[in-house]
Amino acid sequence: MADAEIIPIGTRGRPGRGTGKQPSSAARGLAPAGKAQSAPRKAPPRKATAGRPAATRVAAPVAVVEPPALGTAGSDRSATSAVDRHPGIPAGDLLAAFQHAARELFGDQWEPQLAQFLAFLRRRVTGDYLVDEYGFDQEVTQRFLMTALRPIAEKWFRIEVRGADNIPAEGGALVVSNHSGTVPLDGLMTMVSIHDHTGRFLRPLGADLVFRLPLVSTMARKGGATLACTEDAERMLGGGELVGVWPEGFKGIGKPYADRYKLQRFGRGGFVASALRTGVPIIPLSVVGAEEIYPLVGNIPSLARLLGMPYIPITPFFPLLGPLGMVPLPSKWLLEFGEPIRTDEFEAGAADDPMLVFNVTDQVRETIQQTLYSLLMKRQSVFR
């Protein structure tokens, strides 16, 4: 095969332009290796124009870059970069991690619990749940209120319950307790303790202030509380409910720390009259430990009147420490239920006898007071 003629770039394939037919040394370097280079031809001399020397053009070399073949290092780098652009965890690993976390948090039965929770949400959305005439929502109370209070009762206050067998397994009964603690946490702790030891729901009788507070009133109704009035108390007791009452009221929870465990006046005995009319037993309850959670050392009566509150407490930590001062101290609690005081042995119309009502009221009060003294002597310290 004859040697190919190299045409310099820029001549558009027409020889004789630029440097003519003779290729430059750079152009000769583009020829394939191993082929004999043809001897350079001598171009015929050009006639030079008078006064201007002949110009010689040199064509620039062009580098030809071929694409890399498949399987080369360049293709590997491009494939690797494509994977790097989409990092992530496989879906199977995410699912396994979720199952492990759920098992650690809820136990091996987390799937049935999740199904029950979703069923609960469905009933709430569709309105397929029961509420009694007082607003008591048993499902919300058991699933949320008791669940939230139980760790506080067991881990923080370490409540020890005695005499729970004195609470009747069924039928109406009236639990009468002392009241203390600056904030009425003793009522909530009594509710969860009775439910855990007997399976029954305590229906508290609350002051009218409880039902004037926006959020508290709704939760109190759903938790089973109702207004502390004779009509509601007798209807509940007559319907076989376990009713709780704290006759000391705000005088009990708002008394100074120096008067701790000294019972205040039990009112006019309205709770005794309700028990006499319905013939239900009265179970005295003594609570030790609630007096120390918020030691009341002062009060701001002017601010309390302005806000419509019975008192504004001052403790060693509140309002000095702000919200941190609202954390209750972890005192050791003792709850003792006394023997029931029967009321069905009295004659009809006994509730209308003021002296009889006063005597029964005083009997309940003295029983609670003496039990408090006994529990205080048995307790090792405030916190154990």
Side-chain angles (χ1 to χ4, degrees), residues 146-272:
M146 296 299 172
T147 303
L149 295 176
R150 190 169 291 111
I152 302 176
E154 295 178 353
K155 305 299 183 182
W156 191 254
F157 295 131
R158 308 171 306 283
I159 296 179
E160 181 181 340
V161 179
R162 303 176 181 179
D165 53 347
N166 289 322
I167 301 175
E170 58 183 11
L174 183 63
V175 178
V176 182
S177 175
N178 59 308
H179 213 12
S180 59
T182 306
V183 177
L185 291 181
D186 53 352
L188 298 175
M189 296 298 104
T190 301
M191 291 174 61
V192 68
S193 298
I194 289 178
H195 180 266
D196 288 349
H197 285 79
T198 67
R200 302 193 64 179
F201 292 96
L202 182 67
R203 308 297 296 273
L205 300 179
D208 55 352
L209 176 63
V210 175
F211 301 98
R212 291 204 307 262
L213 301 176
L215 182 61
V216 175
S217 61
T218 302
M219 292 305 301
R221 288 288 185 186
K222 289 186 176 296
T226 189
L227 187 63
C229 62
T230 304
E231 292 78 9
D232 285 354
E234 293 181 4
R235 279 199 303 162
M236 280 189 172
L237 292 172
E241 298 288 350
L242 182 64
V243 181
V245 64
W246 293 261
E248 293 179 279
F250 289 115
K251 293 181 179 179
I253 58 175
K255 63 178 177 288
Y257 184 70
D259 296 335
R260 59 190 180 278
Y261 299 114
K262 296 179 181 178
L263 294 183
Q264 305 299 303
R265 183 172 175 265
F266 267 25
R268 292 171 292 183
F271 67 94
V272 172

Side-chain angles (χ1 to χ4, degrees), residues 40-121:
R41 300 179 184 179
K42 294 183 178 180
R46 288 190 173 186
K47 296 181 180 180
T49 308
R52 185 175 59 183
T56 303
R57 296 186 182 179
V58 180
V62 177
V64 179
V65 180
E66 296 183 359
L70 293 178
T72 60
S75 61
D76 293 341
R77 286 195 298 270
S78 62
T80 303
S81 62
V83 174
D84 294 342
R85 284 196 297 267
H86 302 283
I89 304 175
D93 294 347
L94 286 176
L95 180 60
F98 173 78
Q99 292 176 347
H100 179 73
R103 193 176 296 108
E104 290 291 332
L105 185 61
F106 302 108
D108 294 334
Q109 301 298 322
W110 68 272
E111 292 186 6
Q113 293 180 8
L114 179 60
Q116 293 176 4
F117 178 71
L118 294 177
F120 168 78
L121 291 181

Side-chain angles (χ1 to χ4, degrees), residues 259-311:
D259 296 335
R260 59 190 180 278
Y261 299 114
K262 296 179 181 178
L263 294 183
Q264 305 299 303
R265 183 172 175 265
F266 267 25
R268 292 171 292 183
F271 67 94
V272 172
S274 298
L276 290 171
R277 289 191 183 96
T278 54
V280 300
I282 299 175
I283 296 98
L285 170 61
S286 304
V287 179
V288 168
E291 294 276 15
E292 291 86 6
I293 60 173
Y294 296 112
L296 186 65
V297 297
N299 186 17
I300 310 177
S302 57
L303 182 59
R305 287 192 297 268
L306 180 63
L307 299 177
M309 305 293 288
Y311 57 89

